[in-house]
């Protein structure tokens, strides 16, 4: 009982720190269109900036995942949060494109250090029965940060278009300090060193890991992660630009839609996510959410009134907020003692989709603002078909 209570306390601390960091990320979202406009940056450049973040996340995620297995989760989280703070502060300070790209590249490295370690940490301190609930709590902290962040960002942007970035940097430093002083280590280096030799994955580098990923039992899940990330990137990358150009929304309008559009996701993750997975299974939940996300993204092209835009976006965010922890839970159940490694591969495939998706979305936006959402629907529908195939394979394996 004592260990269980300790683990729950660690998860709560981790949730609080993630809440701070993702509040910092979320608060800059509603002001990005105006910020980019002030620098004369096109949609194509916005896509390249998002892709730059994802590129370094892709390159460093597998390494960071394995380092978290070797040296412990806490160190990776602390260093990652400090680097996040540096990247946000630099982005707010930048007045030239090359500094913006440097900041985004550093931000990608910080994400690669934080997310695999966080997911592996949650797997370390939960049993198989508690795994879905643990992943739900972690993702709820992220979602709640995004809920609170845009609202804060839309308000403090009144004091200056760069002020939200400095607030994000302060949040990152505060989170790093809390982790360093309070968060216990879930996998000390001594424990990792004593693990059986056969437990280590013989992967020399990122390219080798990606090359041999097809041999893993969760390979189809990795493909779904990639296609999902590509499709969602088309939606998320240009969302602020889309509503700004098409409807003339101000930062406070964008903050309102994102904030309340994400509330349902946080509530579901904290209260009903575990029950949903146990009742319907990961495969079925993933398929249904993919279908709903794709269809409602397509509907965004045909709505005009503010409250309808809000309702459609609400459904999209809800589907996304259920999808991400569901896929993470599905993969963690087959990861066994390689939680950090698998979480790193998950992050790598996510980054791969996030590299291609934003670039395509940004340049499509410059051609026609409707094209990115049409492509997002098509890609998510393909992902839905893949998920049905994965579900049939899983059922066949259970029958055998």
């Amino acid at each position: 009982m004592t260990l269980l209570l300790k683990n729950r306390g660690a998860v709560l601390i981790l949730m609080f720190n993630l809440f701070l960091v993702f509040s910092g990320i979320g608060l800059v979202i509603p002001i990005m269109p105006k910020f980019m406009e002030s620098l004369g940056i096109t949609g194509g450049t916005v896509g390249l900036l998002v892709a730059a973040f994802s590129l370094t996340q892709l390159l460093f995620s597998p390494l960071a995942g394995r380092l978290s297995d070797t040296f412990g989760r806490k160190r990776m989280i602390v260093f990652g949060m400090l680097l996040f703070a540096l990247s946000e502060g630099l982005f707010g300070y930048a007045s030239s494109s090359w500094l913006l790209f440097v900041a985004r590249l550093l931000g990608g490295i910080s994400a690669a250090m934080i997310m695999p370690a966080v997911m592996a940490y949650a797997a370390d301190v939960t049993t198989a029965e508690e795994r879905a609930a643990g992943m739900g709590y972690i993702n709820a902290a992220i979602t709640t940060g995004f809920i609170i962040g845009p609202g804060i960002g839309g308000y403090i942007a009144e004091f200056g278009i760069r002020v939200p970035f400095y607030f994000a940097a302060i949040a990152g430093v505060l989170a790093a300090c809390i982790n360093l002083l309070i968060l216990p280590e879930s996998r000390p280096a001594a424990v990792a060193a004593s693990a059986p030799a056969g437990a280590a994955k013989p992967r020399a580098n990122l390219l080798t890991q990606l090359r041999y990923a097809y041999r893993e039992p969760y390979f189809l899940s990795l493909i779904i992660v990639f296609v999902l990330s590509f499709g969602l990137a088309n939606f998320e990358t240009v969302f602020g630009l889309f509503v700004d150009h098409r409807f003339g929304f101000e930062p406070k309008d964008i903050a309102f839609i994102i904030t309340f559009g994400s509330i349902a996701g946080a509530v579901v993750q904290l209260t009903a996510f575990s029950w949903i997975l146990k009742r319907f299974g990961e495969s079925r939940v993933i398929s249904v959410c993919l279908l709903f996300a794709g269809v409602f993204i397509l509907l965004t092209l045909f709505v005009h009134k503010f409250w309808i835009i809000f309702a459609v976006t609400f459904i999209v965010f809800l589907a996304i907020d259920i999808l991400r922890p569901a896929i993470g839970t599905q993969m963690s159940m087959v990861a066994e003692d390689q939680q950090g490694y698998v979480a790193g591969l998950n992050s790598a495939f996510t980054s791969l989709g996030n590299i291609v998706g934003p670039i395509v979305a940004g340049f499509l936006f410059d051609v026609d603002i409707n094209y990115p959402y049409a492509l997002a629907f098509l890609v998510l529908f393909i992902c839905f078909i893949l998920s049905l195939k994965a579900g049939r394979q899983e059922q066949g394996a259970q029958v055998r």
Side-chain angles (χ1 to χ4, degrees):
M1 178 63 68
T2 302
L3 179 61
L4 182 60
L5 290 175
K6 179 181 178 181
N7 290 341
R8 287 180 177 175
V11 171
L12 289 175
I13 295 172
L14 198 63
M15 288 173 62
F16 178 68
N17 284 276
L18 283 177
F19 167 78
L20 288 180
V21 171
F22 281 89
S23 293
I25 295 175
L27 63 84
V28 305
I29 293 175
I31 55 94
M32 283 300 291
K34 298 299 182 185
F35 183 76
M36 294 304 180
E37 183 181 329
S38 68
L39 296 178
I41 294 176
T42 64
T45 305
V46 173
L48 289 172
L49 284 169
V50 177
F53 179 99
S54 301
L55 176 63
T56 50
Q57 187 178 13
L58 167 67
L59 294 176
F60 282 87
S61 284
L63 173 63
R66 298 193 68 181
L67 288 176
S68 76
D69 285 336
T70 303
F71 298 108
R73 323 299 190 197
K74 178 175 179 176
R75 293 182 184 179
M76 301 302 295
I77 295 171
V78 171
F79 286 130
M81 288 181 173
L82 288 174
L83 195 58
F84 161 79
L86 175 62
S87 70
E88 291 296 323
L90 182 61
F91 200 95
Y93 172 78
S95 57
S96 60
S97 295
W98 73 269
L99 268 182
L100 293 177
F101 277 100
V102 170
R104 295 301 288 174
L105 291 170
L106 291 175
I109 298 175
S110 72
M113 298 176 71
I114 294 170
M115 293 313 299
V118 166
M119 294 304 178
Y121 193 111
D124 289 340
V125 299
T126 56
T127 64
E129 293 76 15
E130 299 169 332
R131 189 68 45 77
M135 292 296 180
Y137 292 150
I138 294 299
N139 281 275
I142 296 172
T143 302
T144 305
F146 275 120
I147 291 173
I148 301 298
I152 298 174
Y155 174 75
I156 63 177
E158 299 293 325
F159 299 96
I161 204 69
R162 297 175 183 269
V163 175
F165 295 98
Y166 298 136
F167 268 77
I170 294 172
V173 172
L174 179 60
C177 293
I178 293 175
N179 273 297
L180 181 64
L181 299 175
I182 301 177
L183 187 70
E185 176 58 69
S186 67
R187 184 178 172 87
V191 173
S194 65
K201 288 280 184 183
R203 303 289 189 259
N205 52 50
L206 171 64
L207 292 179
T208 305
Q209 292 181 38
L210 296 176
R211 178 184 175 186
Y212 291 103
Y214 73 92
R215 298 179 177 178
E216 306 292 358
Y218 42 80
F219 176 65
L220 189 53
S221 294
L222 290 173
I223 295 299
I224 293 175
V225 166
F226 166 73
V227 180
L228 169 67
S229 300
F230 178 91
L232 293 181
N234 281 271
F235 173 75
E236 295 172 335
T237 299
V238 300
F239 176 76
L241 297 176
F242 178 81
V243 295
D244 175 63
H245 282 64
R246 186 167 183 177
F247 307 111
F249 286 1
E250 295 295 324
K252 287 185 178 180
D253 299 319
I254 300 173
F256 178 85
I257 291 177
I258 294 175
T259 298
F260 288 93
S262 301
I263 287 177
V267 172
V268 169
Q269 288 169 352
L270 285 171
T271 60
F273 178 72
S274 179
W275 177 86
I276 290 173
L277 288 195
K278 290 179 181 178
R279 176 64 178 82
F280 301 103
E282 290 91 349
S283 297
R284 188 176 300 177
V285 170
I286 290 170
S287 296
V288 171
C289 288
L290 283 170
L291 182 61
F292 270 76
V295 169
F296 278 83
I297 285 176
L298 183 64
L299 288 177
T300 306
L301 301 179
F302 303 99
V303 297
H304 303 284
K305 295 183 179 180
F306 182 87
W307 71 269
I308 301 179
I309 297 170
F310 167 78
V312 170
T313 308
F314 185 91
I315 299 298
V316 173
F317 286 153
L318 177 60
I320 293 172
D321 291 335
I322 297 176
L323 260 174
R324 285 173 171 153
I327 293 176
T329 300
Q330 184 182 61
M331 294 184 64
S332 72
M333 298 302 256
V334 297
E336 298 179 350
D337 59 349
Q338 295 292 328
Q339 296 293 340
Y341 171 77
V342 174
L345 268 182
N346 188 346
S347 183
F349 273 77
T350 299
S351 299
L352 197 60
N354 286 340
I355 290 171
V356 183
I359 294 176
V360 174
F363 285 103
L364 284 178
F365 182 86
D366 289 336
V367 176
D368 189 304
I369 63 175
N370 297 314
Y371 285 175
Y373 283 8
L375 180 61
F377 163 73
L378 179 61
V379 171
L380 288 174
F381 187 76
I382 293 173
C383 196
F384 165 69
I385 300 299
L386 288 175
S387 70
L388 293 179
K389 180 180 178 180
R392 286 194 294 269
Q393 289 182 353
E394 182 179 325
Q395 290 178 356
Q398 291 175 351
V399 171
R400 288 193 296 269

